[in-house]
Amino acid sequence: MKAYVALLRSINVSGHHIIKMADLKALLARPEFLNLTTYLQSGNLVFESEIESNESLEILLVEIIKEHYGYDIKVKVYDAAAFQETYKKNPFLAIEQIDIKKLYYIHVLGKADKATFEAIKSKGNFPEEMFLIDNTVYVHYSNGYGRSKVTGSFFEKNLKLFVTARNNNTMKNLLEKIENLKR
């Protein structure tokens, strides 16, 4: 059995796709999702499963939510090791003076094209610093995420892929929940 993190895109954002996490947890009380916990109301799940395919878990979660709520959402599932790697690869974590409250992980749902990302980055005049590593865009929002034009919508439009964003604090807390599963 493996531990997983599922990031649900656009859940409980601006009054759209409202799902109470307690209700979702009850809905997912089934053998495919063991020891399930949630974090915040924005669609963060940590669980164990005997299903060993991230894609199969993504499809299953999408189908269950579509069937029960009627929402056509996107989901990104990581196994515990991949999630930990995604966190550790953040190049900004190595900078001592960095304000970690301004670090975000933009999880790309699909295969991000490095050349497209670099073209977007080079033609924009952004105060944000950003790196694409594997399928995650690591962003330091020097003026804060809420004031930026380089948001999830920006990346979706320019990369032509769906994304879901999480801040550093959420990532760190999800890592702790994974560790708690292993105990």
Side-chain angles (χ1 to χ4, degrees):
M1 185 158 8
K2 289 171 66 173
Y4 293 92
V5 173
L7 307 175
L8 284 60
R9 179 185 169 274
S10 299
I11 294 296
N12 300 329
V13 177
S14 302
H16 298 286
H17 296 131
I18 302 300
I19 300 175
K20 292 183 179 174
M21 291 299 103
D23 295 345
L24 183 60
K25 188 175 179 180
L27 179 64
L28 297 176
R30 48 180 74 199
E32 297 93 334
F33 305 102
L34 301 172
N35 302 313
L36 181 105
T37 61
T38 64
Y39 180 70
L40 299 176
Q41 292 296 314
S42 54
N44 302 294
L45 310 174
V46 176
F47 58 92
E48 292 178 305
S49 183
E50 291 186 7
I51 298 173
E52 295 208 5
S53 163
N54 295 1
E55 184 179 340
S56 294
L57 288 164
E58 289 168 356
I59 291 167
L60 183 58
L61 284 165
V62 166
E63 287 174 352
I64 291 168
I65 291 168
K66 174 84 171 167
E67 182 180 306
H68 188 78
Y69 294 99
Y71 302 153
D72 189 17
I73 67 157
K74 306 292 183 220
V75 177
K76 175 77 172 184
V77 172
Y78 289 96
D79 64 53
F83 191 79
Q84 289 166 333
E85 272 303 300
T86 298
Y87 181 81
K88 289 177 186 175
K89 285 182 180 179
N90 187 333
F92 297 109
L93 293 176
I95 302 170
E96 280 187 38
Q97 299 84 0
I98 201 84
D99 182 354
I100 61 171
K101 293 177 187 159
K102 295 183 178 183
L103 298 183
Y104 276 75
Y105 301 69
I106 311 298
H107 304 273
V108 180
L109 286 68
K111 181 70 176 137
D113 181 68
K114 185 81 167 169
T116 301
F117 174 79
E118 291 301 330
I120 293 164
K121 197 170 138 180
S122 69
K123 70 180 173 184
N125 185 18
F126 313 118
E128 295 81 10
E129 294 177 78
M130 62 187 91
F131 298 94
L132 172 65
I133 301 173
D134 299 326
N135 279 324
T136 304
V137 181
Y138 299 92
V139 186
H140 176 249
Y141 289 95
S142 54
N143 297 323
Y145 185 84
R147 295 185 178 147
S148 178
K149 300 211 183 305
V150 183
T151 61
S153 298
F154 170 87
F155 287 110
E156 288 186 345
K157 178 182 174 192
N158 288 284
L159 293 174
K160 298 182 179 20
L161 294 166
F162 290 105
V163 304
T164 188
R166 299 296 187 275
N167 65 31
N168 191 72
N169 189 53
T170 296
M171 294 290 290
K172 190 174 172 187
N173 279 290
L174 291 171
L175 281 172
E176 288 174 14
K177 288 190 172 291
I178 290 170
E179 287 303 315
N180 289 338
L181 277 179
K182 293 178 182 178
R183 291 182 189 149

